[in-house]
Amino acid sequence: MRICFTSDIHGNEALYAQLERLVLHERPELLILGGDMLPDGRDEDPIGSQTEWARAVHLPRLGRWMAALPALRIAVIHGNHDWLDSARTIEEASDGQRLVALDLSHPFSMCGLTFVGFSLSPPTPWTVKDFERLDMPDDEVPAEGGRLSCNGAARSVDARACFAERPPLQAELSMGCAARAPWVLVSHAPPHNTRLDWLPNIAWPVGSRAVREFIERRRPLLTLHGHIHESPTVTGAYQDFVGDSLCINPGQCTDRLHAVLLDTNDLRGSAWHTVYS
């Protein structure tokens, strides 16, 4: 089975045009979108405008691709720039067959592989906090809070309300994963201290320790990540291993699509990156 994976397009129409050409030319059986695919939304109505874009632009686009390629299935997770309302709009459009919203408790199986998704990430400097949590239980609560969805409106909350009152990523990941081997984890946040989680101006890795711990414990065949756009440029690599698990973060930029194509018959030998080859 051929898989195409990309993440963090943030509503960039030039990147979507490139992705469309790639998908229609390469004809993968499965396209996986790793979160933060939507624009941030207008300041005066960030939730409503992002949700409307998901409904009026994003979902029809995916529908056109599936109509053009009857064998294509699309699996999605969300990211830290996604509001809960827009995520629910996409999940409600999922039929569980052609368009699938991945999570840990509802595995999706295709061609002998099981896929699960994890949309949460550790705290960032960005405003939207619907899909952010502390990474580990003993992490310090950040100094600044952000905004959470509340009845369709963006509500400002302090850091304690954002983070200390909700389970950390480690706890979320320990609540159970229904995947059976061989399986694939699609996690917006990359694992900590790999070649996939480095920023250019920070002297330490910024990935999730909880995600790394989960990969080490559960040993998926393949893990797919985004979130840290610049990491492949910083480290010179879009692949790494955590134990025996092949981990990939294609990165992303604003003018040239970063995506990876894989063949499940030869995961280690078939990976092809649109920029780094």
Side-chain angles (χ1 to χ4, degrees):
M1 174 176 60
R2 295 201 81 199
I3 296 173
C4 178
F5 173 71
T6 191
S7 184
D8 299 279
I9 289 183
H10 292 278
N12 183 318
E13 288 298 332
L15 297 185
Y16 268 112
Q18 294 175 51
L19 179 59
E20 180 168 317
R21 291 194 295 270
L22 179 68
V23 168
L24 295 182
H25 181 266
E26 296 294 338
R27 306 176 72 87
E29 285 84 7
L30 180 62
L31 169 64
I32 302 177
L33 305 178
D36 285 355
M37 304 300 292
L38 313 177
D40 283 346
R42 298 187 301 274
D43 290 343
E44 64 272 18
D45 184 16
I47 296 179
S49 57
Q50 187 185 76
T51 301
E52 179 57 25
W53 196 91
R55 182 183 297 110
V57 179
H58 188 58
L59 289 170
R61 188 193 332 257
L62 302 186
R64 291 195 302 271
W65 295 352
M66 290 186 288
L69 298 174
L72 176 67
R73 298 185 184 185
I74 300 176
V76 303
I77 63 168
H78 312 299
N80 61 294
H81 282 260
D82 295 328
W83 292 101
L84 188 59
D85 290 35
S86 58
R88 285 174 174 164
T89 296
I90 295 170
E91 290 169 2
E92 289 167 1
S94 167
D95 61 4
Q97 297 296 322
R98 296 293 306 280
L99 177 62
V100 181
L102 297 175
D103 61 29
L104 291 179
S105 58
H106 299 90
F108 168 66
S109 296
M110 183 176 178
C111 297
L113 283 178
T114 299
F115 297 82
V116 299
F118 190 65
S119 298
L120 302 179
S121 302
T124 73
W126 309 112
T127 298
V128 184
K129 301 301 179 187
D130 283 347
F131 287 98
E132 291 188 5
R133 303 287 190 273
L134 292 181
D135 195 25
M136 305 293 278
D138 58 351
D139 286 354
E140 289 188 15
V141 174
E144 296 186 4
R147 303 172 83 185
L148 295 171
S149 297
C150 181
N151 298 322
R155 175 174 60 93
S156 294
V157 290
D158 64 23
R160 183 158 295 277
C162 277
F163 300 112
E165 298 172 6
R166 296 189 289 174
L169 266 63
Q170 185 187 56
E172 295 274 3
L173 287 165
S174 68
M175 290 179 184
C177 172
R180 295 184 178 180
W183 68 286
V184 176
L185 171 67
V186 185
S187 165
H188 188 63
H192 179 74
N193 198 22
T194 60
R195 292 188 290 177
L196 312 180
D197 69 324
W198 289 84
L199 290 168
N201 299 317
I202 297 179
W204 55 85
V206 296
S208 167
R209 289 170 290 155
V211 168
R212 183 183 182 109
E213 178 186 90
F214 180 72
I215 294 170
E216 290 173 339
R217 184 174 75 252
R218 293 299 306 269
R219 303 175 65 183
L221 182 69
L222 170 69
T223 74
L224 301 171
H225 310 275
H227 191 43
I228 311 301
H229 303 194
E230 304 89 343
S231 191
T233 302
V234 174
T235 67
Y238 65 91
Q239 314 180 54
D240 205 348
F241 285 89
V242 173
D244 293 331
S245 300
L246 174 63
C247 306
I248 289 176
N249 174 10
Q252 199 54 268
C253 67
T254 58
D255 58 349
R256 187 173 179 188
L257 177 72
H258 287 225
V260 171
L261 288 162
L262 297 153
D263 190 321
T264 57
N265 292 319
D266 180 20
L267 286 176
R268 300 187 182 192
S270 67
W272 179 83
H273 194 285
T274 55
V275 176
Y276 300 108
S277 189

